[in-house]
Each structure stands twice: as C-alpha cells, then as structure tokens.
Amino acid sequence: MAVPLSARRVLSALRGEGLSVVEVGDWTTHNRNHKGPWGPVHGVMIHHTVTRGTAHTVRICRDGYAGLPGPLCHGVIAKDGTVHLVGHGRANHAGLGDDEVLRAVIAERRLPVDDEATTDGNRHFYGFECENLGDGEDPWPKVQLDAIAKASAAICRAHGWTHRSVIGHREWQPGKVDPRGFGMASMRERIADLLR
Ligand SMILES: [Zn+2]
C-alpha cells in the first residue's frame, strides 16, 4: 500500500539516479484521474512503443491517439536514454491484467503466469514507455537499457520497493508482448544491483 509520489518527488528521484530528464508541457497535471482512481501504487511497468523517432514517440505518449487518450505512460525512455516526463497520475498504459500477478508484485514474490485480465492496472502501476519498434530486430542501445534500469530503480528506491516490483506489460496482461528484445528477469537483476 503506497501513496503515489508527488510530481516533484518523481522528478527528484529520477535525477537523483543520474538520469537526464525532460519535462514535457504540463506533465505534472496531465492524467486520466477524471476517469478512475490513481493509487495505491504497487509497482513499475515497462513497455515498448512500436514507434520510431523520439519527438514523434513522445508526442503520441503524451497525447494518445483515437480510441486511447493520453497520457499513455508517465515517462518515455528514448533511445538516447533521456526520460521525457509526459504525465503524472492515472495513465492509459497497463489496462486490465491478472490479479494474481498484482498480489505477487505487492508481496514482492516470483510472478505467476498472467492468464486473466480482470484488474485495473492503470490505478496501481507507474508506466515507462520505451522507444522501440518492438519487432525483435530494432536494437536496444546500452544507454537506453541503462536508463530503463535506473528509472525503475529510482521509483523503487523512493518507495522502498525491491526489483520484484518491476514487471513488463507482457507479464501483466495476456496477449501483450512488450517489452520485446530483452528479458525482464535480467532487467530485474540490473535493478537489484542498482538498489544494493
Ligand atoms: Zn505496453
């Protein structure tokens, strides 16, 4: 059970982890809080965008598109490792997922297989969208993977969570494949190293 971090604390946590951060427009008040609850927060979810080009990617993640209004995450992690903050509060990123996965995240236990889509994840997860085509061929630059680990560690550190509080979208919602191109188990190990 954790109260969401304030926008100021999110920003200071990310910068404190050594990340380069860009604040996009009115990100501190850009959210979907009028559509449902935000919090308590339990973890961090990692995605890939299926887009190319950082400016285009950040714009879509901020504004959304027909049928899915933005923000589509809290932070966009670009190919160059910069984190672009686009929203604060409830965001359209996690969708419905598995309540047993949520219970495992809360307990910081090993994850069960996600086989249900019954539980509102937008309420409970911070979301980072990572710029990648998601085709299994578009490379993940080292600086971007480093930034994903650091951004996740920053949120975990601010809340006193372990690496087990970080999951991929594909571990939450049946049918999702993101992030594709690196393993979440190895990413969690990197996050654990940062938190040690
Ligand atoms: Zn996703």
Side-chain angles (χ1 to χ4, degrees), residues 21-22 28 44 48 67 80 92 111 136 147 172 180:
V21 182
V22 175
T28 62
V44 178
H48 66 221
D80 68 357
N92 270 331
L111 296 174
W172 170 247
R180 187 168 174 208

Side-chain angles (χ1 to χ4, degrees), residues 7 16 37 71 78 109 123 132-133 141:
R109 289 194 314 257
R123 175 176 188 171
N132 190 277
L133 290 175

Side-chain angles (χ1 to χ4, degrees), residues 147-187:
I148 295 168
K150 285 180 183 175
S152 302
I155 301 296
C156 289
R157 200 187 303 283
H159 277 292
W161 295 337
T162 75
H163 62 294
R164 289 196 183 275
S165 300
V166 182
I167 67 174
H169 200 188
R170 67 167 184 258
E171 295 173 306
W172 170 247
Q173 188 178 75
K176 290 291 178 184
V177 300
D178 61 319
R180 187 168 174 208
F182 61 89
M184 280 306 300
S186 64
M187 178 55 70

Side-chain angles (χ1 to χ4, degrees), residues 21-194:
V21 182
V22 175
E23 299 183 74
V24 180
D26 60 350
W27 74 277
T28 62
T29 55
H30 186 49
N31 58 54
R32 304 286 298 160
N33 291 359
H34 53 294
K35 290 292 182 183
W38 166 234
V41 286
H42 299 303
V44 178
M45 192 172 295
I46 305 299
H47 306 261
H48 66 221
T49 55
V50 196
T51 58
R52 192 198 298 277
T54 298
H56 169 68
T57 298
V58 170
R59 190 163 54 243
I60 285 182
C61 289
R62 196 205 109 76
D63 296 341
Y65 48 85
L68 193 65
L72 304 185
C73 60
H74 300 101
V76 180
I77 302 178
K79 288 271 196 204
D80 68 357
T82 303
V83 181
H84 299 253
L85 291 172
V86 296
H88 182 70
R90 187 180 170 88
N92 270 331
H93 71 98
L96 294 177
D98 192 313
D99 60 326
E100 288 178 40
V101 171
L102 182 61
R103 277 198 290 276
V105 169
I106 291 169
E108 301 188 308
R109 289 194 314 257
R110 190 172 296 277
L111 296 174
V113 172
D114 55 321
D115 56 9
E116 287 188 303
T118 56
T119 302
D120 174 17
N122 295 333
R123 175 176 188 171
H124 297 302
F125 287 92
Y126 297 91
F128 288 106
E129 283 281 359
C130 307
E131 179 189 347
N132 190 277
L133 290 175
D135 58 3
E137 292 180 17
D138 190 16
W140 290 89
K142 180 180 182 300
V143 66
Q144 187 182 24
L145 291 172
D146 287 346
I148 295 168
K150 285 180 183 175
S152 302
I155 301 296
C156 289
R157 200 187 303 283
H159 277 292
W161 295 337
T162 75
H163 62 294
R164 289 196 183 275
S165 300
V166 182
I167 67 174
H169 200 188
R170 67 167 184 258
E171 295 173 306
W172 170 247
Q173 188 178 75
K176 290 291 178 184
V177 300
D178 61 319
R180 187 168 174 208
F182 61 89
M184 280 306 300
S186 64
M187 178 55 70
R188 275 189 286 272
E189 283 309 309
R190 298 181 62 159
I191 295 162
D193 284 343
L194 290 171

